[in-house]
């Protein structure tokens, strides 16, 4: 399914009043994981500004020990500080990478803004080297704009 075909499905999930916020987030994770071949782990982290930590929210994929990540640590922690998308074509070449699994080859993290404030991020791991393009970034920014409406 193309990104254009997925957009209305994302909107359908976020506008479903029968679902809780966490159910909507989980359903989005499932949709992306099932419909995009190279999205092998899809999840959300949410920021705690007081403790400067990210906390794992709904996700789909292999279990992770990384349920709390300090700002600045790893790709997710760097995005919490930079407020910018981070695409890692090859995690083995990244100095500040927190290894989750030997199967992960690349990662993309896109911050989630609500009223101009970075409240978290969507994090995607892939078992493929360098699969992420500008189209992935644009699509995930769209996803996060839809999610931001829930807050």
């Amino acid at each position: 399914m193309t990104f254009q075909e997925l957009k209305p499905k994302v909107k359908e999930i976020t506008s479903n009043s029968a679902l809780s916020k966490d159910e909507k987030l989980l359903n989005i994770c499932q949709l992306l994981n099932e419909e995009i071949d190279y999205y092998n782990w899809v999840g959300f982290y949410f920021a705690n500004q007081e403790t400067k930590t990210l906390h794992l929210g709904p996700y789909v994929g292999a279990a992770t020990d990384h349920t709390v990540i300090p700002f600045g640590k790893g790709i997710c922690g760097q995005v919490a500080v930079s407020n910018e998308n981070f695409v890692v074509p090859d995690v083995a070449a990244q100095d500040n990478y927190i290894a989750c699994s030997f199967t992960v080859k690349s990662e993309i993290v896109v911050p989630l803004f609500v009223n101009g404030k970075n409240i978290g991020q969507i994090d995607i791991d892939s078992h493929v080297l360098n699969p992420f393009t500008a189209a992935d970034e644009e699509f995930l920014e769209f996803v996060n704009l839809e999610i931001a409406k829930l807050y």
Side-chain angles (χ1 to χ4, degrees), residues 71-115:
F71 283 15
K73 187 167 170 62
I75 308 309
C76 290
Q78 289 176 74
V79 169
V81 174
S82 73
N83 297 319
E84 295 177 4
N85 298 354
F86 200 153
V87 179
V88 182
D90 180 358
V91 297
Q94 190 66 37
D95 289 341
N96 191 6
Y97 173 70
I98 303 171
C100 297
S101 165
F102 69 92
T103 59
V104 175
K105 304 290 186 224
S106 56
E107 182 174 12
I108 184 171
V109 180
V110 176
L112 170 60
F113 295 99
V114 175
N115 298 322

Side-chain angles (χ1 to χ4, degrees), residues 29-92:
C29 291
Q30 290 169 332
L31 175 71
L32 300 186
N33 181 255
E34 290 167 9
E35 297 297 336
I36 304 172
D37 292 351
Y38 55 94
Y39 284 19
N40 303 117
W41 191 97
V42 180
F44 291 93
Y45 281 93
F46 291 95
N48 180 323
Q49 296 297 337
E50 288 179 21
T51 60
K52 300 289 186 214
T53 51
L54 293 165
H55 297 265
L56 183 62
Y59 73 95
V60 170
T64 179
D65 293 334
H66 306 289
T67 57
V68 179
I69 299 173
F71 283 15
K73 187 167 170 62
I75 308 309
C76 290
Q78 289 176 74
V79 169
V81 174
S82 73
N83 297 319
E84 295 177 4
N85 298 354
F86 200 153
V87 179
V88 182
D90 180 358
V91 297

